[in-house]
Amino acid sequence: MRARPYATTSPTRLAAALLEVAARSGLESASVREVASQAGVSIGAVQHHFPTKDEMLAYSFQALADRVLTRLATVDPDIDPTRTLFAALSQLLPLDDQRGSEAHVMAAFAVRAATSPSLSSIRSSVLFTIRTGLATVLIRMGTPDPETRAALLVAAVNGLALDATSSPDLYPREYLTHALHTQIQLTLDTPN
Amino acid sequence: MRARPYATTSPTRLAAALLEVAARSGLESASVREVASQAGVSIGAVQHHFPTKDEMLAYSFQALADRVLTRLATVDPDIDPTRTLFAALSQLLPLDDQRGSEAHVMAAFAVRAATSPSLSSIRSSVLFTIRTGLATVLIRMGTPDPETRAALLVAAVNGLALDATSSPDLYPREYLTHALHTQIQLTLDTPN
């Protein structure tokens, strides 16, 4: 493919290319060379926008996080909190191909964050935002220890997403849906 | 460091070297070259034991999984199921440096399993073993829907481990302990 000059690409397009490479072949395959090839631009064009690989990864993780958080933010609060929580948290589970790719790449960035302060900072912000949003629903319900239960909802969903990503046969989609309903029920029903 | 001949290394030692590299710098850094350097052997010595990188990764993942599953299997069943579940599941949380490294590298292999059938097969077997062991405890307790609640215990712990690995400031060790206790309580206390 003919490489396009700098002007025809943008950080947003390069991030989209990185996320495609990572979803298909793993985040470890998302080198500057592979991203350039996926985007149909030169390596120099990628380096023009992202002088370091760390910057490319951080920008792409933030773009993915923004996309997912935007979907979460547009969930209509239902009169039934079970439905509100399900609608929000099911955005994070691999219940269709798009969410499957997102869950895989989100988990890959989460692991990479263990050795990257810039990725860690982005993931902490994402976790904090989601936990706070969930805790707000639980506080409104009078649920005991809402902060911990919100963190457990996030952890259960992140864990199910990771487990389903590595072992899809053990976690078919209907099973994930049933498991999420069960965790929400445990969260809302139990007295302290 | 002087490279040692083949005879002075073994797959077990090379796997230990790989796990050290992965814990320190991320699984993406665990190249044949880095593993050889960490083990103090030649690249040829690594390739002698592991003709492909996939084989090196699969052997190392199995070695790590065996170590963790052996610890889980030696948990004494307590008269109090809460204590039994806590003792088992706390082996999977980053509650000290060793479990922190293990949790990080286990999660990295889980993500890599999404693009590797051999790693996926190992992780599915690990998840199945842990889920079955937990479900046995829950069945003995008469807990409703024990299979799903066992899968949720595993997912919550895997999720907490991942979240704590990426964002240690948001998940201090006392908080992880409290969250695990809460998940066990939700699992055991709720009527269907």
Side-chain angles (χ1 to χ4, degrees):
Chain A
M1 189 186 305
R2 194 89 174 287
R4 290 192 292 259
Y6 300 173
T8 62
T9 192
S10 68
T12 305
R13 289 181 63 137
L14 295 174
L18 184 145
L19 297 173
E20 283 171 51
V21 171
R24 187 177 63 234
S25 313
L27 189 57
E28 70 279 4
S29 299
S31 61
V32 169
R33 179 183 301 276
E34 280 299 316
V35 171
S37 167
Q38 175 74 30
V41 300
S42 67
I43 290 176
V46 176
Q47 289 168 333
H48 171 75
H49 289 291
F50 301 121
T52 67
K53 186 175 172 187
D54 267 2
E55 286 169 79
M56 178 175 77
L57 288 171
Y59 187 93
S60 303
F61 186 22
Q62 188 68 59
L64 173 59
D66 287 346
R67 187 208 297 170
V68 172
L69 289 178
T70 299
R71 283 214 312 273
L72 281 174
T74 55
V75 167
D76 276 333
D78 195 284
I79 191 100
D80 176 0
T82 304
R83 284 210 290 261
T84 304
L85 292 173
F86 186 85
L89 290 164
S90 62
Q91 297 302 321
L92 303 171
L93 283 179
L95 296 174
D96 55 31
D97 289 350
Q98 186 194 338
R99 282 176 284 176
S101 293
E102 286 175 353
H104 168 207
V105 180
M106 287 285 267
F109 275 120
V111 168
R112 188 70 76 105
T115 52
S116 161
S118 58
L119 298 181
S120 174
S121 160
I122 294 168
R123 186 158 201 267
S124 294
S125 169
V126 170
L127 288 171
F128 185 78
T129 301
I130 299 175
R131 275 169 54 170
T132 305
L134 296 172
T136 304
V137 176
L138 299 183
I139 288 166
R140 203 178 303 133
M141 295 296 300
T143 308
D145 200 356
E147 297 288 351
T148 305
R149 292 190 188 198
L152 283 168
L153 277 172
V154 176
V157 166
N158 286 341
L160 284 172
L162 182 64
D163 297 344
T165 296
S166 76
S167 306
D169 293 350
L170 287 181
Y171 296 85
R173 287 170 185 175
E174 315 75 56
Y175 187 82
L176 292 175
T177 301
H178 173 64
L180 175 54
H181 273 303
T182 302
Q183 181 71 22
I184 292 170
Q185 180 204 324
L186 295 178
T187 299
L188 293 177
D189 286 3
T190 311
N192 203 359
Chain B
M1 189 183 308
R2 195 89 175 286
R4 288 193 292 259
Y6 299 172
T8 62
T9 192
S10 67
T12 306
R13 288 182 63 138
L14 295 174
L18 184 144
L19 298 173
E20 282 171 53
V21 171
R24 188 178 62 232
S25 313
L27 188 57
E28 70 280 4
S29 299
S31 61
V32 170
R33 178 183 302 273
E34 280 299 317
V35 171
S37 167
Q38 175 74 31
V41 301
S42 67
I43 290 177
V46 176
Q47 289 169 333
H48 171 75
H49 290 291
F50 301 121
T52 67
K53 186 175 173 185
D54 267 3
E55 287 170 78
M56 178 175 77
L57 288 171
Y59 187 93
S60 303
F61 186 22
Q62 187 68 59
L64 173 60
D66 287 346
R67 187 207 299 168
V68 172
L69 289 177
T70 299
R71 282 213 312 274
L72 281 175
T74 56
V75 167
D76 277 332
D78 195 285
I79 191 100
D80 175 0
T82 304
R83 284 209 292 259
T84 304
L85 293 173
F86 185 84
L89 290 164
S90 61
Q91 297 303 321
L92 304 172
L93 283 179
L95 296 174
D96 55 31
D97 289 349
Q98 187 194 337
R99 283 175 283 176
S101 294
E102 286 175 354
H104 168 208
V105 180
M106 287 285 268
F109 276 119
V111 168
R112 187 72 75 106
T115 53
S116 160
S118 59
L119 298 181
S120 174
S121 158
I122 295 168
R123 188 159 200 266
S124 294
S125 168
V126 170
L127 287 170
F128 185 78
T129 301
I130 300 176
R131 274 169 56 171
T132 305
L134 296 172
T136 304
V137 177
L138 299 183
I139 289 165
R140 203 178 303 135
M141 296 295 300
T143 308
D145 200 356
E147 297 288 352
T148 305
R149 292 191 189 197
L152 283 168
L153 277 172
V154 176
V157 166
N158 286 340
L160 284 172
L162 182 64
D163 297 344
T165 296
S166 77
S167 306
D169 293 350
L170 286 181
Y171 297 85
R173 287 170 184 173
E174 316 74 57
Y175 188 81
L176 292 174
T177 300
H178 173 66
L180 175 54
H181 274 302
T182 303
Q183 182 69 24
I184 292 170
Q185 181 203 323
L186 296 178
T187 299
L188 294 177
D189 286 1
T190 311
N192 203 0

